[in-house]
Amino acid sequence: MTTTPCTALITGASAGIGAAFAHHLAANGYQLLLVARRADRLRELATQLTARHDVRCEVFAADLTDSAAPAAIVDYADRQGLPVDVLINNAGLSGKTAFADTPWNALAGEIQLMVTAPTELAHLVIPGMKNRHWGRIVNLSSVAAFAPPGAGLLYTGIKSYVLDTSQALDMELKHHGIHVTALCPGFTRTEFHDVMGTRDKADHLPRILWQQPDAVVAEGWDAVMKGKPVCVPGIVNKISAVAMKPLPVRLGYLLGKTFNPFKNS
Ligand SMILES: NC(=O)c1ccc[n+]([C@@H]2O[C@H](COP(=O)([O-])OP(=O)(O)OC[C@H]3O[C@@H](n4cnc5c(N)ncnc54)[C@H](OP(=O)(O)O)[C@@H]3O)[C@@H](O)[C@H]2O)c1
């Protein structure tokens, strides 16, 4: 175990699951470095957490679609004397329009935000974790990684990358005292569907499918501390993940094409 207090770097901390992680980790004595684009929200959250839990809480406003952001964040952490012991790669969104109708810049931004930036952040902080013989990395995948791909969306492919890579890194780094967990939530009550423009459709889904972000984080963090490489929170999501994975490829494709509730056409 590293010396306390540990530092947790959380991306996408201005809302939803990232903000829930900030609350959970501050309550457990972690000092925090919060990252997202909306600096006002981050500062408000940092002030609240410091007052409530007496922990150091720094903010760094960054757009993770900018390829310079990961190095700038870790450089800031170093200059602030905040060695990253816990990395929560959480920032993310889903594209709104079909692949062929989406400008390349937007698609490249999705890949940078949810593939390249989290991978680079992990690569930047792992050497320090190795030196300290302790580290935890949480990568936000999704139960979508177990599901058939959705028509025209990069999202399931991106979340499958996150799921697979997290396990590969966990295998590589375990013996250095570093655990990597892919956290795979299902429908979670955050701003995700507002950003995606699918709030109306999402609100028509049965209540039983939904979880609150603090429940996702509590189960996810418990899995992280137990060194589990994959966590699917919630019983409904667990059943869905188990049921969806063994589908024959052709059947999975057909289901994904037919039953995606968020497809636009
Ligand atoms: N909600 C769900 O149903 C669900 C299910 C499975 C997986 N997930 C995953 O969980 C993660 C968190 O999503 P959420 O549900 O908490 O959504 P959310 O409430 O919309 O929060 C997304 C966070 O990502 C940040 N973000 C988005 N684009 C960014 C950018 N370019 N640069 C920096 N930060 C950026 C946002 O901050 P700013 O806008 O301030 O930058 C915000 O803090 C995502 O990876 C998502 O794919 C969500």
Side-chain angles (χ1 to χ4, degrees):
M1 187 66 183
T2 187
T3 52
T4 50
C6 288
T7 300
L9 162 54
I10 305 173
T11 70
S14 61
I17 295 170
F21 260 113
H23 282 280
H24 194 81
L25 294 179
N28 282 281
Y30 286 79
Q31 51 188 14
L32 302 176
L33 175 53
L34 307 177
V35 174
R37 291 166 301 183
R38 287 170 289 180
D40 51 341
R41 283 222 192 174
L42 294 179
R43 280 195 291 268
E44 198 178 310
L45 178 60
T47 305
Q48 199 186 94
L49 294 177
T50 301
R52 193 175 297 168
H53 302 292
D54 193 25
V55 291
R56 182 174 173 197
C57 197
E58 300 290 337
V59 308
F60 189 87
D63 184 340
L64 286 161
T65 64
D66 175 356
S67 62
I73 294 164
V74 174
D75 181 56
Y76 179 78
D78 288 345
R79 283 187 283 113
Q80 290 292 318
L82 292 169
V84 178
D85 303 298
V86 174
L87 169 63
I88 313 282
N89 271 320
N90 163 77
L93 46 72
S94 176
K96 302 173 188 178
T97 48
F99 178 81
D101 301 333
T102 309
W104 173 246
N105 278 354
L107 296 171
E110 266 185 72
I111 296 167
Q112 182 69 34
L113 173 65
M114 290 182 289
V115 176
T116 310
T119 311
E120 187 179 356
L121 281 170
H123 193 256
L124 287 166
V125 301
I126 284 166
M129 291 177 171
K130 272 187 174 179
N131 285 340
R132 296 187 294 279
H133 308 292
W134 197 88
R136 298 289 180 269
I137 299 175
V138 183
N139 293 320
L140 262 291
S141 177
S142 167
V143 81
F146 297 88
L153 296 178
L154 294 183
Y155 190 74
T156 48
I158 286 174
K159 293 304 183 184
S160 298
Y161 165 86
V162 174
L163 174 61
D164 288 358
T165 312
S166 299
Q167 293 173 81
L169 292 186
D170 189 67
M171 289 172 206
E172 176 183 328
L173 298 167
K174 243 182 196 355
H175 66 282
H176 292 285
I178 303 167
H179 290 294
V180 184
T181 300
L183 177 55
C184 309
F187 294 109
T188 310
R189 295 207 185 273
T190 66
E191 297 172 14
F192 184 86
H193 288 285
D194 302 305
V195 175
M196 195 181 168
T198 48
R199 170 58 57 206
D200 286 349
K201 288 174 182 169
D203 283 347
H204 283 94
L205 294 173
R207 267 187 184 194
I208 193 172
L209 295 179
W210 289 93
Q211 281 193 294
Q212 293 296 338
D214 51 352
V216 169
V217 166
E219 190 172 339
W221 189 246
D222 186 54
V224 171
M225 295 315 279
K226 288 177 177 157
K228 293 185 182 172
V230 179
C231 172
V232 180
I235 188 71
V236 172
N237 295 326
K238 282 184 181 57
I239 292 168
S240 307
V242 168
M244 287 187 289
K245 204 57 186 170
L247 288 180
V249 173
R250 283 172 72 88
L251 179 58
Y253 185 92
L254 184 68
L255 285 176
K257 210 174 145 190
T258 316
F259 291 117
N260 174 7
F262 302 118
K263 70 180 176 189
N264 288 308
S265 57

